[in-house]
Amino acid sequence: MSEIPLVDLGLQHRQIADEVAEGFARVIEENAFILGPAVAEFEDAFATFVGVAHCVGVASGTDALELALRAIGVGHGDEVILPANTFIATALAVARTGAAPVLVDCGHDHLIDADQIESQVTAHTRAVLPVHLYGQMALMEDIEGVAERHGLAIVEDAAQAHGANRNGRSAGSIGAVAGTSFYPGKNLGAYGDAGAVLTRSAEIAAALRALRNYGSDRKYHHPQRGFNSRLDTLQAVVLRAKLRFLDSWNGMRRVAAGRYDELLEPFEWVIRPVALEGNDPVWHLYVVRVPNRDAVLRALHEAGIGAAIHYPVPIHLSGAFRSLGYGPGSFPVAEELASQVLSLPLFPGITEVQQARIAEVFKGF
Ligand SMILES: *Cc1c(COP(=O)(O)O)cnc(C)c1O
């Protein structure tokens, strides 16, 4: 039997192949490799898609979050509050600014527990960095409440939530600034590394355009130190082409998630993901919780199914952040989830037959 990968980008590649070929040819012909016209074209289209005034393309999602924080002045001596349950890059980006990451636990919905943020606010706290994990937005109204009470900036990690909505507002449009990633497997993915920062503020956008380009406001003038972190023009061509299909691909993900819900319903021991009230998730991942996770994962792998774990080690238990001084027991829900979560294959184009075969494996338990 054929393998079922966690992510199969085949359908996406086929749908954009012609536009990408033409776009690449134009970039090569025009020698427009660095910040060519295709970059601004994509930035404008993505800003419109999200519903913000400005999008600044950068080299990766990690860079996007770091530059977003720097653009609002976060650095040494500051603290930034973020969830213990996220991809490592969220915390790496904070640390790279020189600020101290301050973690809070998640709820059983996997998202940052907004009720635990307030107790972590100190005189040094500058920002709170919610992560819209697995395609579902964090409880932004509660987070905005805390941020307002304490004068904190909100920086969204929207890497897994392209097109997600909460109560009519889209991921990346709520905070002062948001970072997102176009890593190939994301809902909107490039053909390599890429990312972007979103903001309503012209001032923050201008700061970002300088930061990503050696700190330059015009060629060979460098009023400040910056970085080399531009969105590659060829990647912008791919992203522009893919953006036309994003809503339809997110729709396919929604249908596939609904099918998993039906297929897995008979298994009482499988806790399925739920869309929170007010949320319209884009199903970046379909993450179930099972008590005997490692055994189920092994069985899926033996059946040729590319299931995975997002994420096996919460931030506070990873070696990279041992120096923060947390330990086992610091964030019990994140730790519990890390031992139970299981991501099933989900991508635009996954078939009913494939999903039925995946559900079949659960019958063995
Ligand atoms: C993918 C991802 C990032 C990092 O993006 P890169 O483009 O890989 O640097 C950051 N945060 C979250 C939640 C992600 O999923």
Side-chain angles (χ1 to χ4, degrees):
M1 258 198 276
S2 64
E3 309 250 316
I4 306 174
L6 182 69
V7 177
D8 180 345
L9 300 172
L11 172 92
Q12 300 188 30
H13 296 331
R14 289 191 293 280
Q15 285 189 276
I16 63 166
D18 291 346
E19 183 174 345
V20 167
E22 283 165 33
F24 279 14
R26 199 170 322 118
V27 172
I28 293 165
E29 208 170 287
E30 295 172 356
N31 278 309
F33 300 108
I34 305 298
L35 293 179
V39 173
E41 276 166 40
F42 169 70
E43 288 174 337
D44 289 347
F46 195 63
T48 302
F49 178 83
V50 174
V52 293
H54 307 278
C55 168
V56 180
V58 297
S60 73
T62 311
D63 282 6
L65 291 167
E66 177 187 354
L67 298 190
L69 289 161
R70 286 184 183 273
I72 58 164
V74 172
H76 253 285
D78 295 330
E79 293 172 3
V80 176
I81 296 175
L82 69 149
N85 179 35
T86 181
F87 180 53
I88 192 82
T90 317
L92 289 174
V94 172
R96 276 184 5 186
T97 67
V102 173
L103 304 177
V104 302
D105 209 350
C106 58
H108 283 92
D109 54 16
H110 306 271
L111 301 163
I112 188 168
D113 184 345
D115 291 340
Q116 293 191 34
I117 294 174
E118 197 138 32
S119 67
Q120 298 308 309
V121 175
T122 73
H124 301 289
T125 311
R126 284 292 310 279
V128 50
L129 206 175
V131 181
H132 305 309
L133 206 62
Y134 311 150
Q136 165 141 252
M137 286 176 70
L139 297 176
M140 295 308 289
E141 298 84 358
D142 295 350
I143 294 167
E144 286 174 296
V146 184
E148 260 164 47
R149 283 195 291 282
H150 298 278
L152 312 177
I154 295 176
V155 179
E156 300 174 69
D157 182 338
Q160 301 191 1
H162 308 133
N165 275 277
R166 172 169 180 77
N167 294 322
R169 299 193 292 171
S170 68
S173 73
I174 297 176
V177 64
T180 196
S181 164
F182 306 117
Y183 180 88
K186 299 278 155 79
N187 287 40
L188 179 61
Y191 282 179
D193 279 309
V197 188
L198 301 152
T199 182
R200 291 181 300 276
S201 157
E203 202 180 314
I204 294 173
L208 286 160
R209 288 185 199 286
L211 277 175
R212 73 170 171 185
N213 198 28
Y214 319 113
S216 155
D217 54 358
R218 61 205 155 99
K219 202 158 181 140
Y220 304 130
H221 292 262
H222 306 275
Q224 58 172 335
R225 291 180 194 171
F227 301 83
N228 177 346
S229 181
R230 296 158 303 219
L231 172 62
D232 185 87
T233 310
L234 293 172
Q235 301 303 341
V237 167
V238 173
L239 292 167
R240 181 67 195 90
K242 280 196 174 184
L243 185 58
R244 300 183 208 288
F245 295 93
L246 183 55
D247 282 334
S248 95
W249 292 338
N250 281 343
M252 291 181 195
R253 288 176 181 274
R254 202 168 291 126
V255 169
R259 266 195 223 126
Y260 271 137
D261 282 341
E262 280 173 30
L263 287 162
L264 297 174
E265 201 195 77
F267 309 106
E268 272 166 35
W269 51 278
V270 179
I271 301 174
R272 288 172 277 125
V274 286
L276 298 179
E277 170 104 33
N279 266 355
D280 183 10
V282 288
W283 301 103
H284 174 59
L285 294 168
Y286 188 90
V287 178
V288 299
R289 284 164 54 205
V290 289
N292 45 348
R293 196 264 317 278
D294 293 343
V296 179
L297 182 64
R298 213 173 309 118
L300 286 162
H301 285 174
E302 277 162 16
I305 293 157
I309 301 171
H310 299 90
Y311 298 89
V313 184
I315 302 299
H316 67 290
L317 298 182
S318 83
F321 287 101
R322 193 164 298 145
S323 66
L324 296 181
Y326 302 107
S330 292
F331 302 108
V333 180
E335 291 169 32
E336 180 194 349
L337 296 183
S339 69
Q340 298 179 342
V341 289
L342 180 63
S343 307
L344 302 180
L346 185 72
F347 47 86
I350 192 170
T351 65
E352 221 169 326
V353 172
Q354 287 175 314
Q355 290 188 272
R357 222 183 92 201
I358 293 162
E360 200 63 30
V361 175
F362 286 76
K363 285 187 185 157
F365 291 88

